[in-house]
Amino acid sequence: MPELPEVEVVRRGVARWVVGRTVRSARFLHPRVTRRHVAGPEDAIARTEGLVVADAVRRGKYLWLPLATADGDAADAMVVHLGMSGQLLVEAAKAPAEKHLRAVWEFDDGREDLRFVDQRTFGGVAVVPLVGVGDGGLGGLGEFPDAPWSRFLPAPVAHIARDPLDPAFDDALFARRLREKTTGLKRALLDQTLVSGVGNIYADEALWRAKLHYARPTRSATRAQADALLAGLREVMTAALAAGGTSFDSLYVNVNGASGYFDRSLAVYGQVGRACPRCGSLVRRDAFMNRSSFSCPGCQPVPRTAHW
């Protein structure tokens, strides 16, 4: 699954190429692409066509496009879930259709289309209302923080916590809520109601940077360790953004179809049997939640009590 850096790379591309343009037509080419839009594809089309893409906004792994009238009045938001293989691509209007093309948005200026390509069809699109943010802060990170829609979230995203790169992220609240949980550190990091945007890759990399084992009980985490985890998350996510994200195959690309290259800089994730860049111990792999966890046995010793 794409994590925060990969989604942010896509968001930036959409902001550059699509924001400010008016949707002339929307077409959904596979029934699964609008399965999250309960009223069906025709309703999603009706709530999109003729409106302006006012912004491209993200919270954690969630990406949405606030829509507005020509007069600037806020309407709904188009939420795009990339799933495991979804791609938002900007293509010339007359470019051949991709093999797994699922949706196309054409614009009234006749320039590039926005296309949703999804090989495995786990992603999708829904047009939903915006709801207020309870803490008064920004709903998500977009291009226009003072815009009318900036203090709102799409209803399906309202339960998602802020991410570590959000200026409004509350470090003290994170540390307190982390210690209130009864689980292991990595399981907590994957809980999108505690901190959003973190998946398997960046959880492992942040834990390595903080020199903490993934199964360390959250209740035993000190404030200094919680701060070290956040520092690790911010460091690795910022570096991944600079590299265009992490791409393990051709499915993880930006809006121009280019892959990121942060996978070349991973310290432990996917590096089983290789030397830890810090201490030289061989990276190990453990089964974890039907996936894998990668860690350094030298830098990240197993705690006496562990939540596996």
Side-chain angles (χ1 to χ4, degrees):
M1 294 285 285
E3 302 181 32
L4 182 156
E6 290 73 48
V7 178
E8 175 63 12
V9 167
V10 173
R11 188 204 69 78
R12 292 178 181 181
V14 173
R16 177 183 177 185
W17 293 100
V18 177
V19 166
R21 301 171 67 192
T22 300
V23 180
R24 184 182 68 205
S25 68
R27 291 181 287 133
F28 299 109
L29 309 176
H30 192 285
R32 284 180 58 83
V33 76
T34 54
R35 67 189 181 281
R36 294 179 176 87
H37 190 92
V38 178
E42 295 303 322
D43 181 75
I45 291 171
R47 291 165 65 179
T48 304
E49 291 183 344
L51 294 177
V52 177
V53 179
D55 204 348
V57 186
R58 177 194 57 75
R59 177 178 277 203
K61 306 176 188 179
Y62 286 81
L63 173 68
W64 65 93
L65 308 182
L67 302 171
T69 66
D71 296 328
D73 296 327
D76 295 317
M78 185 170 70
V79 180
V80 182
H81 195 289
L82 298 177
M84 294 183 68
S85 60
Q87 302 170 344
L88 275 179
L89 302 177
V90 174
E91 295 281 8
K94 295 183 179 180
E98 291 80 2
K99 181 178 181 180
H100 301 289
L101 183 62
R102 307 305 184 196
V104 181
W105 295 270
E106 298 175 333
F107 299 91
D108 66 356
D109 57 15
R111 291 168 40 222
E112 301 87 357
D113 296 339
L114 181 65
R115 300 182 179 186
F116 182 65
V117 177
D118 190 5
Q119 177 178 328
R120 298 170 185 162
T121 66
F122 291 140
V125 176
V127 182
V128 300
L130 291 163
V131 298
V133 180
D135 60 11
L138 294 177
L141 301 182
E143 300 297 299
F144 306 104
D146 298 322
W149 57 82
S150 67
R151 309 268 169 198
F152 295 84
L153 287 168
V157 185
H159 67 290
I160 299 298
R162 297 186 183 279
D163 64 65
L165 300 186
D166 189 325
F169 188 90
D170 189 330
D171 291 17
L173 177 62
F174 168 81
R176 185 173 75 249
R177 292 188 61 204
L178 180 71
R179 291 194 298 269
E180 289 172 353
K181 290 184 170 293
T182 308
T183 187
L185 287 178
K186 182 172 179 179
R187 287 177 183 267
L189 291 179
L190 299 180
D191 179 355
Q192 301 296 300
T193 65
L194 173 67
V195 56
S196 65
V198 184
N200 216 29
I201 298 173
Y202 299 114
D204 281 355
E205 292 294 304
L207 286 161
W208 178 80
R209 281 164 170 75
K211 299 182 180 180
L212 294 169
H213 192 273
Y214 67 88
R216 175 179 289 276
T218 52
R219 285 187 178 275
S220 71
T222 66
R223 175 60 194 270
Q225 288 171 332
D227 288 345
L229 263 181
L230 287 175
L233 285 170
R234 288 168 176 146
E235 179 183 315
V236 70
M237 287 179 168
T238 300
L241 270 173
T246 302
S247 299
F248 287 108
D249 59 37
S250 60
L251 298 180
Y252 298 153
V253 298
N254 64 19
V255 296
N256 303 117
S259 297
Y261 53 89
F262 188 68
D263 58 298
R264 304 173 192 174
S265 303
L266 295 172
V268 289
Y269 185 86
Q271 308 300 310
V272 62
R274 296 182 180 177
C276 167
R278 187 164 48 211
C279 76
S281 300
L282 298 185
V283 173
R284 61 173 291 164
R285 172 195 172 276
D286 297 312
F288 176 83
M289 295 176 62
N290 296 318
R291 288 177 282 182
S292 299
S293 263
F294 298 90
S295 61
C296 169
C299 299
Q300 301 167 270
V302 178
R304 292 180 181 178
T305 57
H307 278 280
W308 299 101

